Amino acid sequence: MNIVEVTDICKTYPSFQLDNVSFSLEAGKITGFIGRNGAGKTTTIKSMLNLVHTDSGKISYFGLPLEANKLEIKQRIGYSTGTVSWYPRKTIRQVVNITKAFYSTWDEESYRTYMAMFGLDETKKPIELSDGMKVKFNLCLALSHHAEVLILDEPTSGLDPFSRDELLKIFTDLKKNGVTIFFSTHITSDLDKCADNIVYISRGKIKATSPTVDFLKKYGKANESLEDIFLRLEKEERQ
């Protein structure tokens, strides 16, 4: 079952265009979103969250059109970027108190669990956190209201290898509980460890969307890793 459908979305800027971007997300699966800087990953993700208004196309969650059901859908999804940039001088507890007011499903016990897991101190302020700890705090917010779909833009950015493995383990556990995860990353080795599916975008166009195993078979050569394949495809795209 596809829990998210992105259909022919287009968005034109003076120097860039999303061109009929289409893909779907399977319920309870982890999908990796790959593409170089400027390929359209963040614009696509922001379109999926109604933070960017597309010129055309459709986006639906749980069989519901996003445009007509924004409030209901946003209660059921979680979003995280690589950093926290709002309320930098408020304490973590103050930021949480503001955030949780928006979610009827906020779970204080889950919040405490993830705070302990990530080693976060709620008396700290975002401005005092390292980049890696900012990522963890942002994820803590996204995970604390029982989101059915997690949309994550570079969630492992700034994390050390141990913390990245810890986070990927959390993704795998969430998947076992039926959570659908869509995340963009430049660290393709992370996808080798956990991604069921791959969506590959280049120059604003979707070039491939398939199960990871099929992607490796179709585009890979002998002994190539996912990173090797990605780099080769990008070089070929620009020849």
Side-chain angles (χ1 to χ4, degrees):
M1 173 186 172
N2 293 329
I3 201 166
V4 182
E5 295 278 356
V6 176
T7 307
D8 295 329
I9 63 171
C10 296
K11 178 66 178 179
T12 299
Y13 294 103
S15 59
F16 176 77
Q17 181 182 32
L18 275 188
D19 187 0
N20 291 301
V21 167
S22 297
F23 58 88
S24 59
L25 304 182
E26 289 184 79
K29 300 289 186 181
I30 299 174
T31 300
F33 193 26
I34 61 173
R36 65 186 300 168
N37 288 337
K41 298 190 302 299
T42 296
T43 301
T44 299
I45 286 174
K46 287 184 175 180
S47 298
M48 294 171 68
L49 298 162
N50 206 42
L51 299 175
V52 165
H53 298 290
T54 59
D55 300 326
S56 60
K58 297 179 181 180
I59 299 168
S60 66
Y61 293 80
F62 320 108
L64 303 171
L66 174 61
E67 189 60 36
N69 300 276
K70 292 190 289 287
L71 292 179
E72 178 182 348
I73 288 170
K74 287 185 178 182
Q75 286 287 316
R76 299 172 67 183
I77 66 176
Y79 167 58
S80 175
T81 62
T83 60
V84 177
S85 58
W86 61 89
Y87 302 122
R89 299 185 186 279
K90 298 287 187 181
T91 65
I92 284 178
R93 183 68 246 183
Q94 289 172 315
V95 175
V96 168
N97 286 339
I98 293 167
T99 302
K100 72 179 186 180
F102 292 96
Y103 295 102
S104 60
T105 54
W106 181 269
D107 186 333
E108 192 70 13
E109 185 176 347
S110 289
Y111 161 71
R112 295 289 176 190
T113 297
Y114 287 115
M115 286 288 289
M117 183 181 296
F118 294 149
L120 289 162
D121 178 355
E122 65 181 7
T123 67
K124 294 279 190 180
K125 300 173 182 178
I127 199 170
E128 298 173 329
L129 301 178
S130 67
D131 286 345
M133 294 304 280
K134 287 178 181 178
V135 172
K136 289 182 177 182
F137 176 44
N138 214 1
L139 284 165
C140 182
L141 293 178
L143 291 167
S144 294
H145 62 92
H146 297 294
E148 298 168 58
V149 177
L150 286 177
I151 299 174
L152 311 172
D153 194 1
E154 298 287 344
T156 57
S157 174
L159 295 180
D160 59 77
F162 179 83
S163 296
R164 289 209 322 271
D165 282 344
E166 181 181 57
L167 183 58
L168 297 178
K169 174 64 165 56
I170 291 171
F171 287 174
T172 301
D173 290 342
L174 289 169
K175 183 181 79 167
K176 291 176 182 176
N177 291 324
V179 177
T180 302
I181 299 173
F182 181 64
F183 75 101
S184 67
T185 184
H186 290 101
I187 307 173
T188 52
S189 59
D190 288 348
L191 302 181
D192 286 324
K193 296 175 182 177
C194 72
D196 301 293
N197 300 306
I198 297 290
V199 175
Y200 168 42
I201 190 170
S202 182
R203 296 182 176 181
K205 296 182 179 181
I206 298 296
K207 298 297 183 179
T209 174
S210 70
T212 305
V213 173
D214 293 345
F215 184 89
L216 294 171
K217 287 181 180 178
K218 182 174 181 179
Y219 297 101
K221 296 182 179 180
N223 300 318
E224 279 190 326
S225 65
L226 183 57
E227 181 175 4
D228 294 331
I229 296 169
F230 170 59
L231 292 174
R232 177 171 51 77
L233 290 177
E234 280 297 306
K235 289 176 183 177
E236 292 172 358
E237 178 71 19
R238 279 153 177 75
Q239 288 178 352

